[in-house]
Amino acid sequence: MEMEASRAAYTGAFPTESIDSLPTNTSPSLLQFFWDYQNNDVIVTHYNYTGKLQTDRYREGLKPEAIAFLVVCLLIILENAVVLIAIWTNKKFHLPMYYLLGNLTLSDLLAGVTYMANIIMSGPNTLRLTPILWFLREGGVFITLAASVISLLAIAIERHVTMVTMKPYHGAKKGRMLALIGGSWALAGLLGVLPVLGWNCMGRLDRCSTVLPLYAKSYILCCVSVFSGVLLAIVVLYARVFRIVRTNTQRQRLGGAKGSLRKGLARKSQKYMALLKTVTIVLGVFIVCWLPLFLLLGIDSFCPARRCRLLLKADYFLGVAMVNSLLNPIIYTLTSKDMRRAILKLLCRPCLMTKDGQVKRMGLPFLECSFSKTEVTSKKLEGLETTISSGNIIMAQSPIKTLYPKLFKV
């Protein structure tokens, strides 16, 4: 009866009754528990309790900022799809590290899909949802977020193991990479479905989150704690990796390897650092974009209902977080020459190459340009590298000459 009264109050005007007039400590039977998952009145009751129905968002249709967010979501999907296709079609990227980057890209692409679905189903449409649909809407965002965070951890683990053992993945060891990818999605899926399995606040309104009114505050706090712990572990792992790389570089400079071997080791070290810096930039951007939302959810875990007006502005914090999935493909393109070359060939092959396979001179600057000092150094070292075979010294060809020999025919 109380839920019906709440819905009737919303139909005529936004409810103004006090929080004390709403149920806070009910103990529904198992049958009632499953009935509530299909009961639309539950949504209205919870949103009314947290004070979210007092805003105009649930009266009107999509606002201009929501339309802008939809455009951003579309760009996220397109950008990450291009990166995935580039990784899939280029054999040069069929390596464990790039598979893990591809997994991160896939999570960003799916994040764009779930963000778009979330926006379309928000506003007035929220009040038409059943709790089970609401859990699916929000669970998709949590799963893709968890997949992104855990994918970053998987990349950090792979880099750390590789540097400690000084052996890259080969053959059967690729199983470890597949286990990291599978494990990341399994953990993300488990974290996302916990609310629908019972870790929610249905029937216990005093424990409800304001940002996500059907989620329990304890669940929100758990997720924030898990994500923060994972990010801290990633920072620690990368700090160890940087220390190992610096130590190895100093040893190479002091002695041991000489001549072509030393130059080859230096080139590999520079390339490794370039890839490592790319991943580190991705991690830094992730923290910058998601930290405001994490802090807001932390506040939500301790602030009583209707006390913190800032919590009603959560959509803007989510918008900032969405930018992360938009920036990652741009970071890959600007910091990795190989990735940039593959994407440019994929997007505009006719602009860069002629029909007979030669590279147009206007395309050379785009294929050879570098936005990273590490790439420039690596390129210089690569040009100096020599290969000693059967007593003959053979100068190594540049990447462009190897990929497009017709351009250099005399």
Side-chain angles (χ1 to χ4, degrees):
M1 294 296 294
E2 288 178 342
M3 286 190 295
E4 292 177 0
S6 175
R7 186 177 181 86
Y10 172 74
T11 303
F14 280 111
T16 57
E17 65 267 28
S18 64
I19 295 177
D20 296 335
S21 66
L22 296 170
T24 58
N25 293 306
T26 59
S27 299
S29 63
L30 185 61
L31 182 61
Q32 182 66 34
F33 180 79
F34 287 106
W35 167 250
D36 286 345
Y37 273 67
Q38 303 297 329
N39 187 0
N40 175 262
D41 290 338
V42 173
I43 300 291
V44 177
T45 300
H46 281 250
Y47 273 69
N48 174 43
Y49 177 82
T50 57
K52 300 191 78 170
L53 294 186
Q54 295 179 347
T55 64
D56 293 335
R57 183 187 176 195
Y58 299 94
R59 287 182 181 176
E60 305 169 355
L62 291 178
K63 293 186 176 182
E65 57 267 27
I67 297 175
F69 288 156
L70 285 176
V71 174
V72 171
C73 289
L74 184 60
L75 291 175
I76 289 173
I77 296 172
L78 294 176
E79 284 184 359
N80 286 281
V82 169
V83 174
L84 278 178
I85 294 173
I87 293 176
W88 180 265
T89 56
N90 196 322
K91 292 184 178 180
K92 192 172 186 177
F93 299 141
H94 292 182
L95 298 171
M97 184 60 181
Y98 284 103
Y99 283 140
L100 291 172
L101 282 175
N103 184 54
L104 178 61
T105 303
L106 176 62
S107 65
D108 285 333
L109 187 151
L110 294 178
V113 175
T114 57
Y115 293 155
M116 182 175 290
N118 193 293
I119 294 171
I120 294 174
M121 298 171 68
S122 295
N125 292 328
T126 298
L127 303 177
R128 302 187 184 98
L129 299 176
T130 61
I132 189 66
L133 291 177
W134 189 94
F135 284 128
L136 291 176
R137 184 189 77 176
E138 303 299 338
V141 175
F142 268 74
I143 289 174
T144 54
L145 167 60
S148 295
V149 176
I150 300 174
S151 294
L152 288 171
L153 177 62
I155 293 173
I157 293 173
E158 188 272 340
R159 291 294 84 192
H160 185 266
V161 170
T162 300
M163 289 305 301
V164 170
T165 60
M166 296 305 292
K167 293 180 180 179
Y169 287 114
H170 289 294
K173 292 186 179 181
K174 289 184 179 180
R176 183 160 55 190
M177 177 267 298
L178 295 176
L180 287 172
I181 294 176
S184 66
W185 282 103
L187 290 175
L190 176 62
L191 195 63
V193 301
L194 284 176
V196 77
L197 296 179
W199 196 353
N200 55 60
C201 64
M202 291 174 59
R204 296 160 294 183
L205 293 175
D206 56 321
R207 303 181 185 180
C208 288
S209 158
T210 298
V211 176
L212 299 164
L214 267 65
Y215 279 172
K217 290 184 177 182
S218 57
Y219 172 75
I220 297 292
L221 183 60
C222 175
C223 288
V224 173
S225 301
V226 169
F227 294 153
S228 300
V230 170
L231 291 176
L232 179 61
I234 294 172
V235 171
V236 172
L237 286 173
Y238 277 129
R240 287 177 56 85
V241 168
F242 274 118
R243 188 174 64 180
I244 293 173
V245 172
R246 185 177 60 182
T247 301
N248 291 342
T249 303
Q250 291 176 349
R251 288 177 180 174
Q252 292 173 10
R253 291 175 180 176
L254 292 176
K258 293 183 179 180
S260 63
L261 179 60
R262 182 176 180 179
K263 292 173 183 176
L265 291 174
R267 179 180 62 85
K268 291 179 180 179
S269 177
Q270 293 290 346
K271 284 191 172 183
Y272 183 90
M273 285 299 297
L275 186 57
L276 191 60
K277 286 182 178 180
T278 299
V279 178
T280 305
I281 293 173
V282 170
L283 173 62
V285 171
F286 181 93
I287 293 175
V288 170
C289 291
W290 281 96
L291 184 60
L293 184 60
F294 286 169
L295 293 176
L296 185 75
L297 293 176
I299 296 173
D300 186 25
S301 302
F302 298 99
C303 185
R306 304 194 184 194
R307 297 290 179 84
C308 302
R309 305 299 299 177
L310 180 64
L311 299 178
L312 301 179
K313 304 294 183 181
D315 291 343
Y316 298 100
F317 289 81
L318 179 60
V320 174
M322 287 169 51
V323 175
N324 174 72
S325 298
L326 181 69
L327 292 179
N328 279 345
I330 299 175
I331 295 172
Y332 304 149
T333 304
L334 294 182
T335 58
S336 173
K337 184 172 63 178
D338 292 333
M339 183 67 72
R340 181 167 61 253
R341 184 182 300 141
I343 291 175
L344 287 174
K345 285 175 59 180
L346 182 65
L347 292 178
C348 194
R349 188 181 184 90
C351 302
L352 304 177
M353 300 180 64
T354 61
K355 292 182 179 180
D356 58 355
Q358 294 186 5
V359 180
K360 295 180 180 179
R361 296 199 177 276
M362 64 170 291
L364 281 175
F366 295 99
L367 294 175
E368 287 289 353
C369 66
S370 176
F371 296 87
S372 170
K373 292 182 179 179
T374 308
E375 280 189 10
V376 175
T377 306
S378 177
K379 183 181 177 182
K380 291 179 180 179
L381 289 168
E382 186 174 355
L384 293 173
E385 182 182 2
T386 58
T387 304
I388 301 178
S389 176
S390 303
N392 298 323
I393 299 179
I394 305 172
M395 299 302 295
Q397 291 182 328
S398 69
I400 284 292
K401 189 172 182 179
T402 303
L403 289 172
Y404 309 107
K406 292 183 180 182
L407 181 67
F408 298 89
K409 284 185 177 181
V410 180

